[in-house]
Amino acid sequence: MGSLIGFDDLSKGEVWRAALAELIATMLFVFVGAGAVVSSGMLGAGLDAARLVAIALAHGLAIAIMVAATAHISGGHINPAVTVAMLVTRKIGLAKGVMYVVAQLIGAAIGALLLAAVIPDAAEGGLGAHALGNGVVVGAGLTIEIVLTFVLVFVVFATAVDSRGPNVIAPLAIGLAVLVIHLIAVPLTGASVNPARSFGPALVAGQWANQWIYWVGPIVGGAIAAVVYQGVFAKKG
């Protein structure tokens, strides 16, 4: 039981360094991603095609850069949904997984706080907090988050986790997946697929409407993707 939970990880310096890497990477991802939402909004009202592309590029490139920077330290999760997927498939122990998620949430909160500190008050708005788009009902929003997080985590397992995958370009593939997801879902749900990305701005801006969707959807979608990939596509033996 102890080895399954991974209590031994708590005494390992490299695990604490890995958790710190997750904190820093998530902080920077939230600062850049949410920052793109806020700063692009300063150029004009509304969500047009140009602003949508800018937001998608910022999130996709930021996650690609952060995964590349931290993959050799922590695995480059930067997302509680990815960490839960690793837990479900026993790629990491429970103690390490909890450390990662806590670090990601703290990092997200710090990133949002930093953004709030540098953005003019008049432009802060919701600090890039996620919300359902006009006419998008709760069930549809939840389904979107489940399906798109499935896409993201499937790509993570196929390129970064599976030793047969194109591991060298995994950060690029993951970043492109995030970019495409944002092109699809920003007008619909805000395109979370990452509970930490939703949590940080919501905490600082105090905007908690439908926050549960941005936890349940990504965690369920990510867990299903991990189980499907491991059960069907992973190398056996």
Side-chain angles (χ1 to χ4, degrees), residues 27 79 83 143 159 223 233:
M27 175 188 72
N79 184 339
T83 300
T143 302
T159 62
F233 302 106

Side-chain angles (χ1 to χ4, degrees), residues 18-178:
L20 179 60
E22 287 290 310
L23 186 155
I24 292 171
T26 309
M27 175 188 72
L28 296 175
F29 173 62
V30 169
F31 184 84
V32 172
V37 176
V38 176
S39 61
S40 63
M42 294 172 68
L43 301 176
L47 178 66
D48 58 13
R51 187 182 180 201
L52 173 60
V53 171
I55 292 170
L57 280 170
H59 283 84
L61 292 174
I63 205 69
I65 293 167
M66 289 299 103
V67 170
T70 59
H72 64 294
I73 303 172
S74 66
H77 294 190
I78 319 172
N79 184 339
V82 172
T83 300
V84 170
M86 298 294 179
L87 279 168
V88 168
T89 52
R90 297 189 177 182
K91 300 294 183 184
I92 60 174
L94 179 60
K96 185 176 181 179
V98 171
M99 289 174 65
Y100 273 28
V101 171
V102 171
Q104 291 156 1
L105 295 179
I106 293 172
I110 295 173
L113 284 168
L114 287 173
L115 184 61
V118 299
I119 293 292
D121 291 345
E124 280 186 10
L127 285 176
H130 292 129
L132 297 180
N134 291 333
V136 179
V137 299
V138 167
L142 180 61
T143 302
I144 290 165
E145 289 293 320
I146 290 173
V147 172
L148 293 182
T149 310
F150 182 101
V151 171
L152 173 60
V153 174
F154 192 89
V155 170
V156 169
F157 270 71
T159 62
V161 177
D162 194 331
S163 60
R164 301 167 301 162
N167 304 135
V168 174
I169 64 167
L172 176 61
I174 294 166
L176 288 174
V178 170

